[in-house]
Amino acid sequence: MGKAAMTGILRTAALVGGLALAALGPRSAQAENIVDALIGAYNTSGLLEQNRAVLRAADEDVATAVAQLRPVISWTTQVSRTLLNGTSNGVAFSNPSSDLFTGLSISQLLYDGGARALSKQGAQETVLATRQQLLSIEQQILFRAASAYLNVVLQTENVALRQNNVRLLGEELRAAQDRFDVGEVTRTDVALAEAQLAAARSGLSAARGSLVSAQAEYAAAVGRKPGPLAGQPRLPKAAASLGAATDIAVRNHPAILAAQHQVKAAELVAQSQAKTMGPSASLSGSFGLTDDMDSLDRSKNATVSLTVTQPIYQGGALSSQYRRALAGRDAAKSSLLTAQQDVVQGVANAFIRLEVARANLISSAEQVRAARVAFEGVREEATLGARTTLDVLSAEQDLLDAQTNQISARSEEAVASYQLLQAQGLLTAERLGLAVQIYDPTLYYNLVKTAPSRLSKRSKDLDRVLKALGKR
């Protein structure tokens, strides 16, 4: 073999030897890791803010239900003028007068069979369900951020592999051209190297496009464009078995817990609706002053009344509403069963995905080892004239494919690990110990659950909370 050919092969060996390390990319002391991505997503997610507002609205439903158990006090001012106020021998006559009435009225529910109290309890269960739904949204946000981070890492490594492959094939092409110049190979060998290099450049362009897409998804999920990334993260500890993972999910997954609270809320609504068909009693009173604006006379009046009512017939509306409530309760129970089944299936899918990813990672490592050995052997045989340029290029492509499979398997294992956490209901900021200000759903609820009046100290505290949230 000529000097030119040997020089090309040595360059090829040097590049292949550094291929795997170069694929990892540069490391920086300030590189972002996956925890930084999760923190960014938690702090900037508009979807989380939206559902926190939904939760606060549910909190207010409790306050509204509490208010319905309290007395209602109203202040009234009325100005009236009498135009016709009598008849004489069938003929109307008028003695116009103007009156000003000012008064207070108060009414208090005494008994409704517990319908409103049950409504309040139902609203409280709805709050608990909405809190769990907020956790489900939080899990989705964090899993999206984790997936986006891992995909950027994967695509970055893939671009690095493709760049090295292009450089490697460039060396092969120059070596083939050198051998052709001295008559050791034919024009066909040069053409094969040129074709392989063109295909590698096409693959590099596609990899760069995938990286741009991954970076765009990262920006959408995390709230900022990715800087230098720290590479593959340390994986979270996984459950020892599918059974253990399923047990954790059944106890902790927010979808199941939310459905359980929704069942309780629906049962309370049905009970409350049944009570509306019974009697109710209320006490009301009023006090007022009536001023005759013409004679300047003033009179006082005060009344107290006890009212008991019992629905007899409303066209079937009450019965229909009760049946509707029962149907809602049955639907909630079915939804709970569906949620349990979905969670169990989700855990199984994630656990199996993780197991398959781990097996693929082991296989891909063996594939890389074997492909590297094969490439080095073919390359050495080519120096002795026992292998063609096509054989070298083919072995080189096999090595690239094996390394691509390896980084894909490593990324898949990481994604599956975080998917399993989500499937178990463990992918939350609190459980992950993220360095963020954890949103406390009880803070707002504790301020509104007693339905404070507008002028109370608690209402002023609410104003400060809303201001801190940027809502006032």
Side-chain angles (χ1 to χ4, degrees):
M1 174 164 288
K3 181 178 179 182
M6 183 60 68
T7 300
I9 291 175
L10 290 175
R11 289 174 179 172
T12 299
L15 286 169
V16 171
L19 192 59
L21 291 178
L24 298 177
R27 292 292 182 263
S28 170
Q30 302 300 321
E32 297 179 14
N33 56 38
I34 196 168
V35 174
D36 297 324
L38 296 175
I39 290 174
Y42 185 86
N43 288 334
T44 63
S45 173
L47 186 58
L48 271 180
E49 283 297 319
Q50 172 189 337
N51 282 272
R52 288 166 183 168
V54 170
L55 176 57
R56 292 195 295 273
D59 294 341
E60 294 292 352
D61 289 339
V62 175
T64 300
V66 170
Q68 290 177 348
L69 295 170
R70 293 176 176 171
V72 177
I73 303 174
S74 303
W75 171 74
T76 304
T77 295
Q78 179 181 347
V79 178
S80 62
R81 182 171 180 79
T82 302
L83 301 178
L84 295 175
N85 58 5
T87 59
S88 177
N89 298 322
V91 178
F93 66 90
S94 63
N95 182 16
S97 62
S98 299
D99 297 322
L100 172 65
F101 173 78
T102 303
L104 291 174
S105 63
I106 181 171
S107 63
Q108 171 66 59
L109 176 72
L110 298 180
Y111 175 79
D112 67 349
R116 296 189 184 184
L118 290 168
S119 295
K120 184 194 76 171
Q121 296 173 26
Q124 291 171 330
E125 289 295 333
T126 299
V127 165
L128 296 177
T130 309
R131 289 180 184 177
Q132 295 300 323
Q133 291 167 351
L134 177 59
L135 288 178
S136 289
I137 296 296
E138 182 179 321
Q139 286 208 130
Q140 294 173 21
I141 296 299
L142 295 181
F143 181 69
R144 182 186 180 188
S147 298
Y149 173 92
L150 293 167
N151 194 32
V152 171
V153 171
L154 170 63
Q155 300 305 330
T156 300
E157 293 179 346
N158 193 35
V159 167
L161 276 175
R162 300 289 172 176
Q163 286 174 333
N164 279 275
N165 186 49
V166 167
R167 289 195 292 269
L168 183 62
L169 290 172
E171 293 293 334
E172 287 286 352
L173 175 58
R174 284 190 289 272
Q177 186 65 52
D178 291 341
R179 292 196 297 271
F180 173 74
D181 291 340
V182 298
E184 294 182 359
V185 297
T186 67
R187 172 59 66 181
T188 301
D189 294 286
V190 176
L192 287 171
E194 288 174 339
Q196 194 81 348
L197 178 58
R201 286 171 176 165
S202 176
L204 175 58
S205 297
R208 285 172 173 165
S210 297
L211 176 58
V212 171
S213 297
Q215 290 170 335
E217 168 62 12
Y218 183 98
V222 178
R224 63 175 181 273
K225 294 181 179 180
L229 300 184
Q232 291 291 340
R234 179 182 299 176
L235 301 186
K237 185 178 180 180
S241 65
L242 176 58
T246 302
D247 290 342
I248 293 173
V250 171
R251 293 194 305 268
N252 294 282
H253 202 284
I256 292 178
L257 299 180
Q260 290 172 343
H261 289 298
Q262 287 169 339
V263 169
K264 293 178 182 178
E267 289 176 341
L268 290 166
V269 168
Q271 294 174 25
S272 175
Q273 195 61 50
K275 298 295 184 181
T276 61
M277 292 186 284
S280 63
S282 61
L283 181 68
S284 60
S286 63
F287 173 79
L289 299 175
T290 301
D291 294 312
D292 188 324
M293 299 174 66
D294 297 314
S295 64
L296 301 182
D297 290 337
R298 169 174 289 184
S299 61
K300 301 178 181 179
N301 58 77
T303 61
V304 177
S305 61
L306 175 64
T307 303
V308 179
T309 61
Q310 168 69 59
I312 296 178
Y313 178 73
Q314 292 188 6
L318 291 179
S319 296
S320 176
Q321 291 169 1
Y322 176 61
R323 292 192 300 271
R324 185 180 189 280
L326 291 178
R329 179 201 62 188
D330 294 341
K333 290 181 178 179
S334 297
S335 180
L336 173 58
L337 292 176
T338 300
Q340 292 171 335
Q341 292 169 352
D342 289 345
V343 166
V344 171
Q345 181 179 359
V347 172
N349 291 342
F351 191 87
I352 293 171
R353 180 182 181 182
L354 179 57
E355 291 293 300
V356 171
R358 287 173 172 172
N360 286 341
L361 185 58
I362 295 172
S363 298
S364 64
E366 178 61 22
Q367 183 184 7
V368 168
R369 185 201 64 78
R372 181 174 287 111
V373 170
F375 172 75
E376 292 172 352
V378 169
R379 181 191 61 197
E380 291 296 329
E381 291 172 5
T383 63
L384 302 175
R387 292 284 185 170
T388 65
T389 300
L390 180 60
D391 294 330
V392 175
L393 294 175
S394 178
E396 188 179 308
Q397 184 62 45
D398 290 343
L399 177 57
L400 174 65
D401 293 342
Q403 290 170 324
T404 301
N405 291 339
Q406 185 178 40
I407 63 173
S408 296
R410 187 184 302 117
S411 179
E412 172 69 7
E413 180 189 23
V415 172
S417 295
Y418 281 95
Q419 182 183 354
L420 181 57
L421 282 185
Q422 181 189 23
Q424 293 175 280
L426 304 178
L427 191 62
T428 64
E430 184 174 4
R431 290 183 179 274
L432 293 175
L434 299 183
V436 296
Q437 182 65 45
I438 301 294
Y439 183 79
D440 183 1
T442 65
L443 176 61
Y444 188 86
Y445 175 80
N446 289 336
L447 289 174
V448 304
K449 66 180 180 180
T450 57
S453 64
R454 185 170 180 79
L455 299 179
S456 67
K457 178 181 180 299
R458 181 159 291 184
S459 180
K460 295 177 181 178
D461 292 338
L462 270 171
D463 289 338
R464 286 193 291 271
V465 170
L466 290 173
K467 185 176 180 181
L469 292 171
K471 311 304 178 187
R472 292 290 291 272

